[in-house]
Amino acid sequence: MNFMSLNGSAVSRCSVTSIPTSLAFFVIFAFYDSDYFHYKEVVESNWEYAHLEDVYINIIDFTNRNYTLFRTIVWGGAFCIFVAAINKLRLKQDLATFIFVAVVITKFSYARISLGFAIILLGLAFLTYKNKFALLPSIFGLSLLYVSVFFHRSMVFGAVVAIAALLSTKVNKTVLVIIALVVIALSGIIKNLALETYMMEMLTE
């Protein structure tokens, strides 16, 4: 009985540490996606950083163009913040792991927006925190929503939606979701049209 108990706890401890470590490794070393190598060229070469936010340029300078260290800070940091948010929300590890692997991980592991997304999620976790000292967590949560904007331009939209969702009623939340979906769809169409126009101009030059 004692042996089974000890063996079970050992297995449990092993899974608690090995699963997050494996996920973090997968997120940092996302060789399967072409954006991994695109960012590698950007970080290690003398390319212009016009499409990057200032915070990432500063990280590139700080890491002395070391791509592995850059990804460890950006994507590893995003994963750690995401885990902190999940713990703050008190989601079960099995459920959180399933959601992350089945839905989130492929997008999370290649787009730099992941860091902004993780910061917003942690901000929401603090904003929904309920206790008698709720003022301080709320201030910290709002500060995180503000900070997320510096990690990706689209986080302005995310922060606004997050605050609106917390303040709105159930009916308004339905309307908010519909508006958000329309805005996301339109922004995707505009982005694709702009990319096609840019590619056509490059081909005709």
Side-chain angles (χ1 to χ4, degrees), residues 6 10 25 28 50 63 65 71 83 92-93 95-96 110 126 130 132 149 155 164 171 191:
L6 289 172
F25 186 87
I28 294 171
T63 60
R65 299 183 182 279
R71 286 196 66 92
V83 171
K92 292 183 178 180
Q93 182 186 353
L95 176 61
Y110 80 84
F126 275 96
K130 302 296 183 182
K132 60 181 179 179
V149 174
M155 289 299 100
V171 175
K191 180 181 177 181

Side-chain angles (χ1 to χ4, degrees), residues 144-164:
L144 288 174
L145 295 187
Y146 173 73
V147 168
S148 70
V149 174
F150 295 97
F151 290 87
H152 201 277
R153 298 173 184 88
S154 64
M155 289 299 100
V156 173
F157 174 72
V160 170
V161 171
I163 294 173

Side-chain angles (χ1 to χ4, degrees), residues 14-25 79 93-94 97 101:
C14 180
S15 64
V16 166
T17 56
S18 63
I19 292 176
T21 302
S22 300
L23 293 176
F25 186 87
F79 181 75
Q93 182 186 353
D94 292 344
T97 301
V101 173

Side-chain angles (χ1 to χ4, degrees), residues 77-99:
F79 181 75
C80 290
I81 294 171
F82 181 85
V83 171
I86 293 301
N87 290 336
K88 190 71 177 175
L89 292 169
R90 297 180 180 178
L91 293 180
K92 292 183 178 180
Q93 182 186 353
D94 292 344
L95 176 61
T97 301
F98 172 78
I99 293 173

